[in-house]
Amino acid sequence: MLLGVVGPVLILFHANFKLGALNSNVAFFAMLIVAISGVIGRYIYGKIHMGLHGGRARVKELLVEAETMRTELGQEMQAASFVSRELATFSKGLDKRVPRTALGSLRTGAIIAARTRRLRVNVTAEARRLIRAEAKRARWSWSERRRREKRVEEVVRRYAAAVRKAAELTFFERLFSLWHVLHLPLFFLMLLAGLVHVWAVHHY
């Protein structure tokens, strides 16, 4: 990463910030394209990895975390049965949306994000209604009722965030694979242009 940034800067000084012969221009612009492509690739890399040396954040891991949250919620209160059922149904619907291209992942991700926001609003509102009805029957205090409402809101919020992250990761993983297909030929083109440039300078 360091050489990929410092190298082009040194080449700019080497060229005295001017264009030269055809072979040197080809090598120069090939280097710039590869450098820009590298910056883009690093951005995509950062989207699908937790730090440079961290493990890859997989979609299944995020959905397993959401499943754990549903289990915890279901064991706590009566209104949770509704929330658990709605989230489980939503998760099953996600399995049918498996895009095969980066563009398909982007479109699917946008759809999932919109559906997730709607899910969060609707489920939270209905869960509040159920909790308030239960609070009235059980004569909970305001603080007790509010504590349970916050618990539901937190679980649904975390679940929605996990699903959105999963959709985002699917898109960026496919985009990263496409980036590799483009970046590698550009890299070899830069090497070839650089070798031709060095040969031409010493030959002539």
Side-chain angles (χ1 to χ4, degrees), residues 58-116:
R58 293 289 186 181
V59 170
K60 290 183 178 180
E61 293 176 357
L62 291 172
L63 294 181
V64 166
E65 180 183 353
E67 177 68 25
T68 302
M69 286 188 287
R70 281 209 311 272
T71 302
E72 293 174 355
L73 184 63
Q75 295 171 350
E76 185 174 336
M77 65 187 77
Q78 180 181 350
S81 60
F82 164 77
V83 176
S84 179
R85 183 173 64 254
E86 290 297 312
L87 298 188
T89 302
F90 188 81
S91 293
K92 290 178 181 178
L94 290 177
D95 296 336
K96 300 177 181 178
R97 297 178 175 272
V98 183
R100 297 184 178 181
T101 63
L103 182 60
S105 298
L106 178 61
R107 182 171 59 250
T108 302
I111 294 172
I112 290 175
R115 291 183 61 206
T116 302

Side-chain angles (χ1 to χ4, degrees), residues 46-50 57-59 62-63 112-113 116 158-172:
K47 285 289 186 178
I48 60 176
H49 287 74
M50 296 178 180
R58 293 289 186 181
V59 170
L62 291 172
L63 294 181
I112 290 175
T116 302
R158 291 183 62 199
Y159 174 79
V163 171
R164 285 197 301 271
K165 185 66 174 177
E168 179 183 291
L169 284 175
T170 301
F171 167 66
F172 279 108

Side-chain angles (χ1 to χ4, degrees), residues 24-153:
S24 62
N25 289 343
V26 171
F28 176 74
F29 284 109
M31 177 202 67
L32 285 183
I33 293 173
V34 170
I36 294 172
S37 174
V39 172
I40 295 173
R42 181 62 184 86
Y43 170 77
I44 301 173
Y45 176 90
K47 285 289 186 178
I48 60 176
H49 287 74
M50 296 178 180
L52 185 59
H53 301 290
R56 179 168 293 189
R58 293 289 186 181
V59 170
K60 290 183 178 180
E61 293 176 357
L62 291 172
L63 294 181
V64 166
E65 180 183 353
E67 177 68 25
T68 302
M69 286 188 287
R70 281 209 311 272
T71 302
E72 293 174 355
L73 184 63
Q75 295 171 350
E76 185 174 336
M77 65 187 77
Q78 180 181 350
S81 60
F82 164 77
V83 176
S84 179
R85 183 173 64 254
E86 290 297 312
L87 298 188
T89 302
F90 188 81
S91 293
K92 290 178 181 178
L94 290 177
D95 296 336
K96 300 177 181 178
R97 297 178 175 272
V98 183
R100 297 184 178 181
T101 63
L103 182 60
S105 298
L106 178 61
R107 182 171 59 250
T108 302
I111 294 172
I112 290 175
R115 291 183 61 206
T116 302
R117 282 193 291 270
R118 188 165 63 249
L119 173 82
R120 179 180 174 183
V121 172
N122 293 342
V123 170
T124 301
E126 180 63 15
R128 284 176 183 168
R129 188 188 68 80
L130 292 173
I131 290 173
R132 287 170 183 173
E134 187 176 354
K136 188 175 182 180
R137 288 194 304 270
R139 296 184 178 181
W140 293 339
S141 65
W142 180 89
S143 59
E144 176 65 14
R145 190 199 75 189
R146 187 58 191 147
R147 182 187 70 82
R148 293 176 182 250
E149 286 179 347
K150 285 184 177 180
R151 172 63 174 157
V152 168
E153 292 168 5

